[in-house]
Amino acid sequence: MQLMLNRSLADLVVSKEARQAMKWDVNEAEANFDEFLEAVITQGPQILTRDGEEIAVCVSYAEWQRIEENSKGK
């Protein structure tokens, strides 16, 4: 199961340059939640940071469903 989940999550890996464009400080994401949510939906996974540390990734529900389906099929 872990291997399947890791393989599905591998689809989310992007270049360092692309990751920079998708990082949001938690306070920034909270203050601009509509913009943050729109970026999740239209641009893909967004990384949340706190004190410069990457702490979470937010994905759209459609992306989450795709990950779930991929993990069930393997």
Side-chain angles (χ1 to χ4, degrees):
M1 176 72 171
Q2 184 66 29
L3 178 60
M4 289 184 274
L5 182 57
N6 286 342
R7 177 171 279 181
S8 297
L9 292 177
D11 294 337
L12 299 176
V13 175
V14 294
S15 70
K16 184 177 179 180
E17 294 79 18
R19 286 178 57 217
Q20 284 294 88
M22 296 188 293
K23 284 186 182 179
W24 295 72
D25 178 77
V26 170
N27 295 322
E28 179 186 7
E30 181 180 22
N32 301 290
F33 189 72
D34 287 341
E35 182 181 343
F36 171 76
L37 192 56
E38 187 64 23
V40 170
I41 294 166
T42 62
Q43 298 173 23
Q46 304 293 302
I47 299 168
L48 289 167
T49 64
R50 181 183 295 144
D51 300 324
E53 180 183 350
E54 296 174 349
I55 59 168
V57 176
C58 187
V59 298
S60 68
Y61 186 69
E63 181 70 15
W64 179 253
Q65 285 179 309
R66 188 184 69 74
I67 292 167
E68 286 287 299
E69 285 301 312
N70 285 344
S71 68
K72 289 178 188 175
K74 295 181 181 178

